[in-house]
Structure formats: structure tokens, C-alpha cells
């Protein structure tokens, strides 16, 4: 009789131990995936900052030609301090959207003032911005790929149990085109 | 061009005829030996003489054939490629250096290295070099009688291309179909967004961002198109402003076979191989120099 009890205890302990090991392994895997998502997000930050810097330089060049239209670029002047720290993902998307607008304005200016195309500094900046764009897209895609992988794990059973226990929820994607969101206000 | 081609074709046909005559003479010699040489010593001697003469004539035909092919490649093809490719150079006996082949990062070192049909030049301003490559590894085995024997087993027979790649990358990237990185760098497997692409290719990069930077959706689509149009085992690698493309398809690129006419149709098939280079450069947008400072 005591032998049987001992066997049951050993089996129960072994099962609990296996569950604990699985729980820890799954939790670590989720955490590692989360770290990858965060790393990818910092990649977006770097690319956004570089895009902001390059666009600022382009604006400086363009402004010489478009003094009477300075209003178009006044938004950028407000952002002299660069990309604010501790932005949420949604705010970063909003920031990117604003940079898109600046870039569109620059393109319009280039169309109006063809002499700009002859400026060596400006053409070099155009090349740089094209490369920065590529890096930003790559960062965004890498981020979304990592988020997708993490989200798939979070919603899959039985990993979903561990995710719920450690309070990990689905992460949002970084969208290329942001819909107008009235609730987000950006102050630079 | 047609006149020059018919001149080469005439010589090739002549060599083929000599080889056929030699082969027929060999057959006559063997038949003489079998049916007449058995009972008659003189006929046996005649049979042997016919056989030997047949073999010699056949060998002469083969040598003449090889010389004709060699001359066709060295004169006509060399001139032809220099005309249709900017700065085009063609050397039938040369090949891409082993250093460049292993520089691709996914082809293992061979015990026996052979190559031919070296072609280089510029496509839309993009420098390239390519050649057929035949890589073999030595295998030692023991036969049924317990003797140790050596054989060479082919693990790559196809073509390798090396292109300029003007997207500045500091890391290394390999997109492989049934290969794996072999250059000693610390690669990580990268899963891209396209499920079809991930099924077809395995992507390895020393930095995940580089994989997404180089493999844009358009670029992935272009690689898939190349894969569909070129049966074989494909491998692409990107490093130090170079793109390597290897295709293991057990084929020669510019073969001249016996009894296949040297004519404009044959030259057109070679031209298609060059057009494939243009397609490759265009599809992969290697000619877009937007990332490079002037």
C-alpha cells in the first residue's frame, strides 16, 4: 500500500514538474519573441529618426527656393528637436504619416522649382532619403513579421494559457498607411 | 553571319562523316573477324587491319570534331558575345576562379574543380562574370572484395554568376534552395512574410534587418520568377556589393552536340542565355543605381 502511494506521489510530482518545465520554457519563448519585437521596434525608431534628419536637411535646401511658401514646411520647423522619446507605436505611425506629408510637399516643391534637381546637395539627399525609406520599410516589415509570429503563439492553445498568465496580449502591427485617428494628438 | 556559320557547320559535318566512316569500318572489321576470321587466318588478319583502321579513322573524326567546336567557340562565339554584350569577353576554356565560387558562401570546397565557358561583361552598366562549374568530392569506399577504392561524386554541375550589387549592405544574406551557408559566418534563419517564398527558399542572414532590406516584396517575386523559369537547385547570396547566383541543373550552357547543326537557330539558343542575364538584371533591378553615390 505505501508503495502504491509513493508511486502515485512520484507520478504526480513528475507531471507537475513537467508542466512547470513546459510553463517556464513557453514563458521564456514568449519573452524572447517579445524582445525580438522590441528590438525591431527600436529599428523603426532609428529609421524614423534618420528619415526625420534627412527630411529636415531637404527642407532647409528647399526653403531657399520657396521662401514665400515657407508655410508649407512650418510643421517641420516645429519639430527641430527631432522625434520625441517614449512615443507609443500609434504615435510613431502618426509621426511617420506627418513625415510622409513633408516628403510629399518637398516633391511638389521640386516639381515647381526644377533648379532644385540640379543642386548636388539636394540630389544626394534624394538618394539618401530613398535608402532611408528602404530601411524604414525593412524595419517595419521585420517588426510586423515578429509581431505576427508572437501573436500566432499568443492565440495558439496551450501557449495562450501561459500568455494569459503572464499578462501578455496580442501586439499591434505597424501599419504603412495610417487611417485618420481623431483621438491621437501630436504635439512637437 | 550565315556564311561564317555555314563554314563552321561544313567543317563539323566533315568531322562527323569521318567519325561515321570510322565507326562503320570498325563494324565491318568486327563482322569480318566473327564470320570469316574464324576459319581463315588471312581473313582474320584482314579483319584486324580493318578494325584498327576503323578505330584510327574514328579517333581522327573525334579529334577533328573537337577542334572544329573549339575553333567555333574561340572565333565565332567570342566575337558574337563581344558584339551583343557591353565589354563582353568569352573564353571557352576558362572559368570563374575557385575563390569567387567559394566566395558565394554556400558552395562547399571541391576535391575536383572543373569549369568552362567563361563569360563576363556589363549588362546595363552592371558588371558580371559567369561560367559553367563542375564540382566533385572524393569518396573512399571498400568494394565487395575488401579493396579500398576512390571515386569522385558530382555535387554541383551548372552555372555560377557574380554580379555587382549596389545596395549597400554591411551584413551577409543567402537565399538558398536546398543548400546551407558554408562560409563560417554566424547566420540566422529568417522567415519572411511570404509563405510561398519561405516554402521555396530558406533565407539566412547575419542580421534579420538586412534580409528584409534586400528582399523587398518585388525582389522576392523576382526570385520566385527566376526559380520558376530555371529548373534546378538555385542559390543566391548577397555580400560586399556582390550578388552570387548559382544554378545546379546538370547542364552545359553553350554545348555543341554532334549532328546538331551550327546555324542561326543554335546561336539563338545561346542568345537566349544572354537575354536571361538581361532579364535577371532587370527583374532584380540590379541596374537601379539609386543607392550608390555618383
Amino acid at each position: 500500500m505505501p508503495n502504491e502511494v509513493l508511486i502515485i506521489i512520484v507520478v504526480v510530482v513528475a507531471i507537475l514538474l513537467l508542466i512547470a518545465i513546459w510553463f517556464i520554457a513557453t514563458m521564456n519563448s514568449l519573452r524572447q519573441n517579445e524582445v525580438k519585437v522590441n528590438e525591431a521596434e527600436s529599428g523603426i525608431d532609428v529609421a524614423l529618426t534618420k528619415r526625420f534628419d534627412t527630411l529636415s536637411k531637404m527642407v532647409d535646401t528647399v526653403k531657399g527656393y520657396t521662401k514665400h511658401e515657407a508655410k508649407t514646411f512650418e510643421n517641420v520647423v516645429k519639430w527641430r528637436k527631432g522625434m520625441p522619446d517614449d512615443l507609443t507605436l500609434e504615435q510613431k505611425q502618426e509621426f511617420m504619416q506627418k513625415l510622409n506629408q513633408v516628403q510629399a510637399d518637398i516633391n511638389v516643391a521640386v516639381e515647381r522649382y526644377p533648379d532644385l534637381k540640379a543642386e548636388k546637395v539636394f540630389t544626394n539627399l534624394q538618394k539618401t532619403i530613398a535608402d532611408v525609406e528602404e530601411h524604414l520599410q525593412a524595419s517595419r516589415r521585420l517588426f510586423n513579421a515578429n509581431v505576427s509570429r508572437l501573436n500566432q503563439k499568443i492565440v495558439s492553445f496551450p501557449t495562450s494559457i501561459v500568455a494569459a498568465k503572464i499578462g501578455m496580449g496580442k501586439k499591434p502591427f505597424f501599419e504603412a498607411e495610417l487611417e485618420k485617428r481623431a483621438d491621437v494628438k501630436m504635439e512637437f | 553571319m550565315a556564311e561564317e556559320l555555314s563554314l563552321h557547320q561544313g567543317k563539323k559535318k566533315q568531322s562527323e562523316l569521318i567519325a561515321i566512316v570510322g565507326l562503320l569500318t570498325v563494324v565491318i572489321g568486327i563482322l569480318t573477324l566473327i564470320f570469316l576470321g574464324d576459319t581463315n587466318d588471312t581473313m582474320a588478319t584482314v579483319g584486324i587491319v580493318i578494325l584498327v583502321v576503323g578505330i584510327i579513322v574514328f579517333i581522327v573524326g573525334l579529334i577533328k570534331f573537337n577542334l572544329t567546336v573549339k575553333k567555333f567557340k574561340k572565333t565565332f562565339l567570342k566575337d558574337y558575345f563581344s558584339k551583343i554584350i557591353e565589354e563582353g569577353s568569352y573564353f571557352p576554356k576558362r572559368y570563374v576562379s575557385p575563390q569567387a565560387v567559394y566566395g558565394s558562401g554556400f558552395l562547399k570546397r571541391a576535391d575536383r574543380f572543373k569549369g568552362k565557358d567563361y563569360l563576363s561583361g556589363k549588362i546595363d552598366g552592371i558588371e558580371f562574370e559567369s561560367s559553367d562549374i563542375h564540382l566533385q568530392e572524393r569518396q573512399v569506399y571498400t568494394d565487395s572484395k575488401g579493396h579500398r577504392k576512390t571515386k569522385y561524386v558530382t555535387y554541383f554541375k551548372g552555372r555560377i554568376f557574380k554580379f555587382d550589387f549596389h545596395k549597400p549592405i554591411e551584413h551577409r544574406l543567402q537565399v538558398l534552395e536546398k543548400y546551407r551557408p558554408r562560409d563560417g559566418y554566424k547566420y540566422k534563419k529568417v522567415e519572411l512574410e511570404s509563405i510561398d517564398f519561405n516554402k521555396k527558399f530558406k533565407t539566412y542572414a547575419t542580421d534579420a534587418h538586412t534580409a528584409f532590406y534586400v528582399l523587398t516584396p518585388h525582389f522576392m517575386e523576382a526570385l520566385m520568377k527566376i526559380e520558376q523559369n530555371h529548373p534546378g537547385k538555385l542559390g543566391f547570396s548577397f555580400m560586399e556589393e556582390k550578388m552570387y547566383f548559382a544554378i545546379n541543373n546538370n547542364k552545359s550552357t553553350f554545348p555543341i552536340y554532334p549532328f546538331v547543326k551550327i546555324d542561326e537557330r543554335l546561336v539563338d539558343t545561346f542568345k537566349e542565355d544572354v537575354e536571361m542575364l538581361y532579364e535577371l538584371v532587370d527583374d532584380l533591378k540590379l541596374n537601379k543605381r539609386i543607392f550608390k553615390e555618383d
Side-chain angles (χ1 to χ4, degrees):
Chain A
M1 197 66 169
N3 266 356
E4 285 170 356
V5 173
L6 195 69
I7 288 168
I8 289 167
I9 290 169
V10 168
V11 169
V12 169
V13 168
I15 289 171
L16 286 175
L17 201 67
L18 281 175
I19 290 171
I21 290 168
W22 168 80
F23 188 92
I24 292 166
T26 308
M27 189 176 71
N28 283 343
S29 162
L30 285 170
R31 292 276 188 234
Q32 281 162 8
N33 275 275
E34 196 179 29
V35 168
K36 277 188 183 175
V37 169
N38 293 338
E39 279 173 3
E41 193 177 341
S42 65
I44 290 177
D45 293 350
V46 171
L48 274 175
T49 307
K50 200 168 176 198
R51 191 184 181 202
F52 172 81
D53 292 344
T54 313
L55 280 176
S56 298
K57 284 178 194 164
M58 285 179 96
V59 166
D60 285 343
T61 317
V62 172
K63 264 170 37 188
Y65 284 81
T66 59
K67 272 173 190 154
H68 58 289
E69 293 176 76
K71 208 177 171 185
T72 318
F73 305 108
E74 66 184 9
N75 274 340
V76 187
V77 183
K78 288 180 194 170
W79 304 345
R80 276 286 167 239
K81 285 172 194 164
M83 192 174 90
D85 294 330
D86 304 325
L87 289 185
T88 63
L89 194 68
E90 208 169 44
Q91 286 171 322
K92 282 174 193 167
Q93 288 175 76
E94 189 83 4
F95 185 76
M96 187 171 85
Q97 199 83 336
K98 285 188 185 294
L99 293 184
N100 287 348
Q101 188 52 52
V102 172
Q103 194 156 354
D105 289 345
I106 290 171
N107 291 341
V108 170
V110 172
E111 290 304 315
R112 280 189 197 161
Y113 304 94
D115 288 355
L116 262 171
K117 286 178 187 168
E119 281 248 7
K120 180 96 176 139
V121 180
F122 189 74
T123 50
N124 280 342
L125 283 169
Q126 271 187 317
K127 282 178 189 169
T128 309
I129 200 71
D131 190 36
V132 170
E133 279 293 325
E134 292 262 336
H135 275 291
L136 182 58
Q137 290 308 318
S139 303
R140 190 183 63 78
R141 286 170 55 224
L142 173 61
F143 173 81
N144 286 345
N146 286 341
V147 167
S148 170
R149 207 163 302 125
L150 179 64
N151 286 351
Q152 281 171 38
K153 283 188 175 181
I154 286 172
V155 297
S156 304
F157 182 81
T159 317
S160 54
I161 301 169
V162 182
K165 278 274 171 215
I166 60 172
M168 192 182 281
K170 275 174 75 180
K171 305 272 180 196
F173 289 101
F174 194 92
E175 306 292 347
E177 292 297 326
L178 196 68
E179 285 170 15
K180 294 258 180 217
R181 291 188 178 116
D183 55 330
V184 179
K185 291 256 169 17
M186 296 291 292
E187 295 293 338
F188 297 108
Chain B
M1 184 166 93
E3 202 178 309
E4 201 180 343
L5 286 173
S6 78
L7 204 76
H8 285 288
Q9 169 58 19
K11 282 181 182 171
K12 182 172 166 278
K13 201 172 176 184
Q14 200 181 32
S15 68
E16 286 163 355
L17 269 172
I18 293 170
I20 290 171
V21 168
L23 212 61
L24 284 173
T25 315
V26 168
V27 172
I28 292 167
I30 291 169
L31 291 176
T32 310
L33 271 174
I34 293 170
F35 294 109
L36 302 171
D38 205 22
T39 50
N40 189 328
D41 284 353
T42 316
M43 287 314 284
T45 314
V46 170
I48 289 168
V49 169
I50 293 172
L51 186 67
V52 170
V53 168
I55 291 170
I56 291 169
V57 172
F58 181 69
I59 291 170
V60 167
L62 279 188
I63 292 169
K64 222 168 150 33
F65 176 83
N66 281 333
L67 286 173
T68 309
V69 169
K70 213 169 165 179
K71 197 171 178 195
F72 170 72
K73 286 190 166 187
K74 269 178 101 171
T75 55
F76 180 85
L77 274 190
K78 194 176 170 68
D79 187 45
Y80 180 71
F81 287 135
S82 72
K83 277 178 190 159
I84 63 167
I85 300 170
E86 187 191 343
E87 293 178 26
S89 300
Y90 171 69
F91 300 96
K93 291 280 168 194
R94 288 193 203 167
Y95 47 85
V96 171
S97 73
Q99 198 186 1
V101 170
Y102 302 136
S104 68
F106 56 87
L107 289 172
K108 66 176 175 181
R109 289 191 177 271
D111 294 312
R112 198 179 263 175
F113 188 109
K114 287 184 221 164
K116 63 184 172 69
D117 290 322
Y118 177 90
L119 184 63
S120 69
K122 280 184 177 177
I123 303 279
D124 265 358
I126 298 297
E127 275 181 35
F128 79 95
E129 60 171 343
S130 68
S131 79
D132 282 357
I133 292 292
H134 188 183
L135 305 176
Q136 292 178 305
E137 67 177 351
R138 197 173 70 159
Q139 283 184 0
V140 180
Y141 67 101
T142 310
D143 67 9
S144 55
K145 288 173 186 167
H147 301 299
R148 267 168 72 87
K149 291 197 169 175
T150 303
K151 65 175 177 180
Y152 285 86
V153 180
T154 298
Y155 63 87
F156 182 94
K157 191 180 177 194
R159 199 155 181 89
I160 187 156
F161 303 86
K162 184 181 168 188
F163 290 96
D164 275 357
F165 185 67
H166 292 304
K167 210 165 180 175
I169 51 171
E170 287 167 15
H171 291 267
R172 300 167 88 88
L173 169 68
Q174 300 198 13
V175 181
L176 310 173
E177 200 182 26
K178 294 168 191 161
Y179 297 98
R180 62 182 174 84
R182 291 177 178 277
D183 53 6
Y185 286 85
K186 210 174 169 185
Y187 285 90
K188 277 181 190 163
K189 201 163 170 255
V190 180
E191 293 281 327
L192 293 136
E193 312 97 318
S194 165
I195 295 167
D196 290 339
F197 187 83
N198 291 335
K199 270 187 195 165
K200 201 54 78 184
F201 296 108
K202 285 191 172 60
T203 307
Y204 300 92
T206 51
D207 163 63
H209 176 86
T210 302
F212 283 86
Y213 176 58
V214 173
L215 302 171
T216 60
H218 168 85
F219 206 93
M220 284 195 278
E221 212 174 286
L223 293 186
M224 293 283 276
K225 187 181 159 197
I226 292 166
E227 196 277 334
Q228 275 167 10
N229 295 340
H230 299 91
K233 223 164 92 175
L234 271 57
F236 299 87
S237 61
F238 308 84
M239 54 197 74
E240 291 156 6
E241 297 219 346
K242 297 283 171 213
M243 183 193 101
Y244 297 86
F245 166 42
I247 175 163
N248 187 359
N249 55 5
N250 202 28
K251 277 185 185 170
S252 293
T253 311
F254 307 120
I256 314 280
Y257 297 114
F259 312 114
V260 173
K261 263 180 111 175
I262 293 180
D263 57 8
E264 285 183 30
R265 212 161 59 177
L266 179 79
V267 175
D268 280 346
T269 62
F270 296 158
K271 196 180 172 188
E272 277 170 23
D273 285 307
V274 175
E275 278 165 359
M276 186 272 271
L277 289 170
Y278 279 91
E279 226 176 85
L280 205 79
V281 167
D282 207 41
D283 283 346
L284 297 177
K285 293 191 172 165
L286 300 179
N287 46 354
K288 301 274 181 262
R289 287 172 172 260
I290 57 167
F291 303 111
K292 193 145 171 112
E293 294 279 328
D294 289 326

